[in-house]
Protein backbone atom coordinates (compact mmCIF):
# COMPACT_ATOMS: atom_id res chain seq x y z
CA UNK A 1 0.00 0.00 0.00
CA UNK A 2 2.84 2.41 0.80
CA UNK A 3 4.45 1.70 -2.57
CA UNK A 4 1.13 2.22 -4.35
CA UNK A 5 0.45 5.55 -2.62
CA UNK A 6 4.09 6.61 -2.94
CA UNK A 7 3.95 6.09 -6.68
CA UNK A 8 1.36 8.89 -6.81
CA UNK A 9 2.61 11.19 -4.06
CA UNK A 10 5.38 10.97 -1.47
CA UNK A 11 3.63 13.29 1.08
CA UNK A 12 0.59 11.01 1.03
CA UNK A 13 2.85 7.97 1.49
CA UNK A 14 4.45 9.66 4.50
CA UNK A 15 1.02 10.21 6.10
CA UNK A 16 0.09 6.58 5.47
CA UNK A 17 3.39 5.38 6.96
CA UNK A 18 2.87 7.49 10.08
CA UNK A 19 -0.64 6.08 10.53
CA UNK A 20 0.52 2.49 10.09
CA UNK A 21 3.40 2.91 12.52
CA UNK A 22 1.27 4.51 15.22
CA UNK A 23 -1.62 2.04 14.94
CA UNK A 24 0.32 -1.10 14.06
CA UNK A 25 3.45 -0.74 16.19
CA UNK A 26 3.08 1.86 18.93
CA UNK A 27 -0.54 1.19 19.90
CA UNK A 28 -0.13 -2.58 20.60
CA UNK A 29 2.85 -1.93 22.87
CA UNK A 30 1.12 0.98 24.62
CA UNK A 31 -2.12 -0.96 25.14
CA UNK A 32 -0.22 -3.92 26.54
CA UNK A 33 1.58 -1.65 29.00
CA UNK A 34 -1.71 0.02 29.90
CA UNK A 35 -3.41 -3.28 30.71
CA UNK A 36 -0.43 -4.40 32.76
CA UNK A 37 -1.07 -7.62 34.69
CA UNK A 38 -4.85 -7.27 34.63
CA UNK A 39 -5.25 -10.28 32.35
CA UNK A 40 -3.08 -12.49 34.57
CA UNK A 41 -4.89 -11.25 37.68
CA UNK A 42 -8.23 -12.13 36.08
CA UNK A 43 -7.10 -15.66 35.17
CA UNK A 44 -5.57 -16.18 38.60
CA UNK A 45 -8.81 -15.07 40.23
CA UNK A 46 -10.82 -17.46 38.06
CA UNK A 47 -8.51 -20.32 38.99
CA UNK A 48 -8.75 -19.40 42.66
CA UNK A 49 -12.54 -19.44 42.50
CA UNK A 50 -12.52 -22.85 40.82
CA UNK A 51 -10.20 -24.24 43.48
CA UNK A 52 -12.33 -22.70 46.23
CA UNK A 53 -15.52 -24.24 44.85
CA UNK A 54 -13.87 -27.63 44.39
CA UNK A 55 -12.49 -27.54 47.92
CA UNK A 56 -15.94 -26.65 49.22
CA UNK A 57 -17.54 -29.56 47.37
CA UNK A 58 -14.93 -32.00 48.68
CA UNK A 59 -15.51 -30.82 52.24
CA UNK A 60 -19.24 -30.22 51.93
CA UNK A 61 -20.14 -32.66 54.69
CA UNK A 62 -17.76 -30.99 57.15
CA UNK A 63 -18.96 -27.54 56.11
CA UNK A 64 -22.55 -28.45 56.88
CA UNK A 65 -21.63 -30.30 60.08
CA UNK A 66 -19.68 -27.40 61.55
CA UNK A 67 -22.10 -24.69 60.35
CA UNK A 68 -19.69 -23.13 57.88
CA UNK A 69 -22.05 -22.71 54.94
CA UNK A 70 -22.55 -18.98 55.40
CA UNK A 71 -18.81 -18.42 55.80
CA UNK A 72 -18.01 -20.37 52.62
CA UNK A 73 -20.73 -18.49 50.73
CA UNK A 74 -19.35 -15.16 51.90
CA UNK A 75 -15.85 -16.19 50.83
CA UNK A 76 -17.08 -17.20 47.38
CA UNK A 77 -18.98 -13.92 47.00
CA UNK A 78 -15.89 -11.93 48.00
CA UNK A 79 -13.69 -13.72 45.46
CA UNK A 80 -16.31 -13.31 42.73
CA UNK A 81 -16.58 -9.57 43.43
CA UNK A 82 -12.78 -9.23 43.32
CA UNK A 83 -12.60 -10.99 39.95
CA UNK A 84 -15.47 -8.84 38.64
CA UNK A 85 -13.60 -5.70 39.68
CA UNK A 86 -10.48 -6.88 37.86
CA UNK A 87 -12.46 -7.72 34.72
CA UNK A 88 -14.17 -4.34 34.77
CA UNK A 89 -10.82 -2.61 35.04
CA UNK A 90 -9.52 -4.60 32.07
CA UNK A 91 -12.61 -3.78 30.00
CA UNK A 92 -12.35 -0.08 30.81
CA UNK A 93 -8.72 -0.02 29.68
CA UNK A 94 -9.58 -1.93 26.52
CA UNK A 95 -12.39 0.52 25.75
CA UNK A 96 -10.02 3.45 26.26
CA UNK A 97 -7.55 1.91 23.80
CA UNK A 98 -10.37 1.31 21.30
CA UNK A 99 -11.48 4.93 21.52
CA UNK A 100 -7.95 6.25 21.10
CA UNK A 101 -7.35 4.02 18.07
CA UNK A 102 -10.60 5.15 16.43
CA UNK A 103 -9.60 8.77 17.02
CA UNK A 104 -6.20 8.18 15.41
CA UNK A 105 -7.82 6.50 12.41
CA UNK A 106 -10.12 9.48 11.99
CA UNK A 107 -7.30 12.01 12.32
CA UNK A 108 -4.99 10.28 9.84
CA UNK A 109 -7.88 9.81 7.39
CA UNK A 110 -8.77 13.50 7.58
CA UNK A 111 -5.10 14.38 7.15
CA UNK A 112 -4.90 12.15 4.06
CA UNK A 113 -8.03 13.68 2.52
CA UNK A 114 -6.98 17.26 3.32
CA UNK A 115 -3.48 16.72 1.94
CA UNK A 116 -4.85 15.09 -1.21
CA UNK A 117 -7.20 18.01 -1.82
CA UNK A 118 -4.36 20.45 -1.16
CA UNK A 119 -2.09 18.74 -3.67
CA UNK A 120 -4.93 18.68 -6.18
CA UNK A 121 -5.60 22.39 -5.65
CA UNK A 122 -1.89 23.14 -6.10
CA UNK A 123 -1.83 21.18 -9.33
CA UNK A 124 0.68 18.61 -8.04
CA UNK A 125 -1.81 15.74 -8.13
CA UNK A 126 -4.70 14.88 -10.40
CA UNK A 127 -8.17 14.45 -8.96
CA UNK A 128 -8.28 10.78 -9.85
CA UNK A 129 -4.95 10.13 -8.11
CA UNK A 130 -6.06 12.09 -5.03
CA UNK A 131 -9.30 10.11 -4.86
CA UNK A 132 -7.60 6.75 -5.40
CA UNK A 133 -4.92 7.40 -2.76
CA UNK A 134 -7.44 8.57 -0.17
CA UNK A 135 -9.85 5.70 -0.88
CA UNK A 136 -7.04 3.11 -0.81
CA UNK A 137 -5.74 4.42 2.51
CA UNK A 138 -9.19 4.43 4.12
CA UNK A 139 -9.81 0.84 3.04
CA UNK A 140 -6.45 -0.49 4.26
CA UNK A 141 -7.00 -0.29 8.04
CA UNK A 142 -8.25 -3.87 8.50
CA UNK A 143 -4.89 -5.59 9.20
CA UNK A 144 -3.62 -2.58 11.15
CA UNK A 145 -6.66 -2.52 13.43
CA UNK A 146 -6.32 -6.25 14.02
CA UNK A 147 -2.69 -5.68 14.97
CA UNK A 148 -3.35 -2.94 17.52
CA UNK A 149 -6.07 -5.03 19.22
CA UNK A 150 -3.52 -7.70 20.08
CA UNK A 151 -2.39 -5.66 23.07
CA UNK A 152 -5.82 -6.05 24.72
CA UNK A 153 -7.52 -9.05 23.12
CA UNK A 154 -4.66 -11.43 23.91
CA UNK A 155 -4.44 -10.55 27.60
CA UNK A 156 -6.54 -13.51 28.73
CA UNK A 157 -4.94 -15.89 26.22
CA UNK A 158 -1.39 -15.00 27.23
CA UNK A 159 -2.32 -15.18 30.91
CA UNK A 160 -3.80 -18.66 30.46
CA UNK A 161 -0.67 -19.78 28.63
CA UNK A 162 1.51 -18.39 31.41
CA UNK A 163 -0.50 -20.34 34.00
CA UNK A 164 0.00 -23.54 32.01
CA UNK A 165 3.74 -22.91 31.79
CA UNK A 166 3.85 -22.25 35.52
CA UNK A 167 2.16 -25.59 36.15
CA UNK A 168 4.69 -27.34 33.94
CA UNK A 169 7.55 -25.70 35.85
CA UNK A 170 6.18 -26.66 39.27
CA UNK A 171 8.11 -29.14 41.35
CA UNK A 172 6.90 -31.40 44.14
CA UNK A 173 6.44 -29.63 47.46
CA UNK A 174 7.66 -32.74 49.26
CA UNK A 175 10.99 -34.08 48.13
CA UNK A 176 11.06 -37.79 47.44
CA UNK A 177 13.19 -39.76 49.87
CA UNK A 178 14.99 -42.47 47.92
CA UNK A 179 16.75 -44.06 50.89
CA UNK A 180 14.38 -44.00 53.84
CA UNK A 181 15.17 -44.65 57.47
CA UNK A 182 13.52 -46.91 59.99
CA UNK A 183 11.59 -44.90 62.55
CA UNK A 184 11.30 -46.35 66.03
CA UNK A 185 8.12 -45.80 68.01
CA UNK A 186 8.05 -46.15 71.75
CA UNK A 187 4.64 -44.72 72.44
CA UNK A 188 2.93 -41.33 72.35
CA UNK A 189 1.08 -39.07 74.69
CA UNK A 190 -1.38 -36.19 74.27
CA UNK A 191 -1.78 -33.51 76.88
CA UNK A 192 -4.03 -30.46 77.26
CA UNK A 193 -6.20 -31.28 74.25
CA UNK A 194 -9.07 -28.83 73.74
CA UNK A 195 -11.63 -29.14 70.96
CA UNK A 196 -14.52 -26.86 70.04
CA UNK A 197 -16.90 -26.70 67.10
CA UNK A 198 -16.57 -22.93 67.04
CA UNK A 199 -20.34 -22.38 67.21
CA UNK A 200 -21.86 -20.58 70.15
CA UNK A 201 -23.88 -22.95 72.30
CA UNK A 202 -22.82 -26.15 70.50
CA UNK A 203 -19.73 -26.82 72.61
CA UNK A 204 -21.69 -26.60 75.87
CA UNK A 205 -24.50 -28.78 74.55
CA UNK A 206 -22.25 -31.52 73.24
CA UNK A 207 -19.55 -31.37 75.88
CA UNK A 208 -16.47 -30.70 73.72
CA UNK A 209 -13.03 -31.70 74.96
CA UNK A 210 -11.31 -29.42 77.43
CA UNK A 211 -7.82 -30.11 78.73
CA UNK A 212 -7.99 -33.83 78.00
CA UNK A 213 -5.03 -36.15 77.72
CA UNK A 214 -4.15 -39.72 76.82
CA UNK A 215 -1.20 -42.10 76.73
CA UNK A 216 -0.69 -44.52 73.83
CA UNK A 217 1.70 -47.33 74.67
CA UNK A 218 3.87 -49.17 72.18
CA UNK A 219 2.08 -52.06 70.47
CA UNK A 220 -1.10 -51.43 72.40
CA UNK A 221 -4.58 -50.45 71.30
CA UNK A 222 -5.90 -47.27 72.89
CA UNK A 223 -9.56 -46.33 72.66
CA UNK A 224 -11.41 -43.21 73.72
CA UNK A 225 -15.08 -43.79 74.45
CA UNK A 226 -17.43 -40.85 74.94
CA UNK A 227 -20.82 -39.82 73.66
CA UNK A 228 -21.27 -38.84 70.01
CA UNK A 229 -20.27 -35.31 69.05
CA UNK A 230 -17.80 -34.69 71.85
CA UNK A 231 -14.81 -34.36 69.51
CA UNK A 232 -13.14 -37.64 70.36
CA UNK A 233 -12.65 -38.42 66.70
CA UNK A 234 -10.36 -35.42 66.41
CA UNK A 235 -8.53 -36.08 69.62
CA UNK A 236 -5.35 -37.79 68.28
CA UNK A 237 -4.20 -35.18 65.73
CA UNK A 238 -5.08 -31.52 65.28
CA UNK A 239 -3.60 -30.17 62.07
CA UNK A 240 -5.46 -26.90 61.64
CA UNK A 241 -4.34 -25.22 64.85
CA UNK A 242 -2.34 -21.98 64.37
CA UNK A 243 1.24 -22.26 65.47
CA UNK A 244 0.90 -19.32 67.84
CA UNK A 245 -2.23 -20.76 69.51
CA UNK A 246 -1.67 -24.45 70.15
CA UNK A 247 -4.48 -26.27 71.88
CA UNK A 248 -2.75 -29.65 72.11
CA UNK A 249 0.74 -30.95 72.80
CA UNK A 250 1.70 -34.23 71.12
CA UNK A 251 4.53 -35.98 72.89
CA UNK A 252 6.36 -38.77 71.04
Amino acid sequence: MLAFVGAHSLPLAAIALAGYLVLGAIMPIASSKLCGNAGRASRDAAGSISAYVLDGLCGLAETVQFAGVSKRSAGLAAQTDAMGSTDRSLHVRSAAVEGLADALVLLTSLAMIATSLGLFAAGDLSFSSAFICSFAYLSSFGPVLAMYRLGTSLQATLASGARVLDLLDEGPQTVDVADGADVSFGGAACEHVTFSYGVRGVSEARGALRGSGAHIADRKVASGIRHSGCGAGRFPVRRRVPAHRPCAHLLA
Side-chain angles (χ1 to χ4, degrees), residues 2-3 15 21 64 69 130 163 177 186-187 194 196 203 211 231:
L2 291 176
I15 295 175
L21 287 178
V64 175
V69 176
R163 285 175 57 85
V177 179
T194 299
S196 174
S203 299

Side-chain angles (χ1 to χ4, degrees), residues 1-105:
M1 181 59 65
L2 291 176
F4 174 77
V5 176
H8 292 80
S9 173
L10 292 179
L12 297 181
I15 295 175
L17 178 61
Y20 293 152
L21 287 178
V22 172
L23 291 172
I26 298 177
M27 283 295 295
I29 299 175
S31 60
S32 179
K33 296 292 184 181
L34 179 63
C35 292
N37 296 325
R40 180 60 186 269
S42 176
R43 293 298 89 196
D44 289 343
S48 178
I49 290 177
S50 300
Y52 188 84
V53 172
L54 181 59
D55 182 65
L57 292 176
C58 292
L60 184 60
E62 288 78 7
T63 302
V64 175
Q65 179 182 359
F66 301 120
V69 176
S70 59
K71 184 178 180 181
R72 296 290 298 184
S73 299
L76 180 60
Q79 293 193 37
T80 303
D81 292 340
M83 186 183 71
S85 177
T86 303
D87 290 342
R88 282 193 297 272
S89 176
L90 181 60
H91 292 160
V92 168
R93 298 176 188 180
S94 300
V97 173
E98 290 273 354
L100 180 59
D102 293 341
L104 290 175
V105 170

Side-chain angles (χ1 to χ4, degrees), residues 94-181:
S94 300
V97 173
E98 290 273 354
L100 180 59
D102 293 341
L104 290 175
V105 170
L106 179 60
L107 289 177
T108 55
S109 299
L110 292 177
M112 175 67 73
I113 295 175
T115 305
S116 299
L117 293 178
L119 292 176
F120 168 71
D124 297 333
L125 192 67
S126 64
F127 179 79
S128 59
S129 296
F131 176 80
I132 291 174
C133 290
S134 299
F135 185 81
Y137 178 71
L138 294 176
S139 62
S140 65
F141 278 111
V144 180
L145 293 179
M147 182 67 69
Y148 95 82
R149 289 192 180 98
L150 294 180
T152 55
S153 61
L154 289 182
Q155 286 289 321
T157 304
L158 294 176
S160 299
R163 285 175 57 85
V164 173
L165 294 178
D166 290 344
L167 290 176
L168 295 177
D169 292 338
E170 281 188 352
Q173 294 182 354
T174 303
V175 181
D176 294 335
V177 179
D179 49 347

Side-chain angles (χ1 to χ4, degrees), residues 227-242:
H227 58 81
S228 176
C230 69
R234 284 158 180 79
F235 179 80
V237 178
R238 294 282 293 145
R239 295 182 179 179
R240 296 186 179 181
V241 181

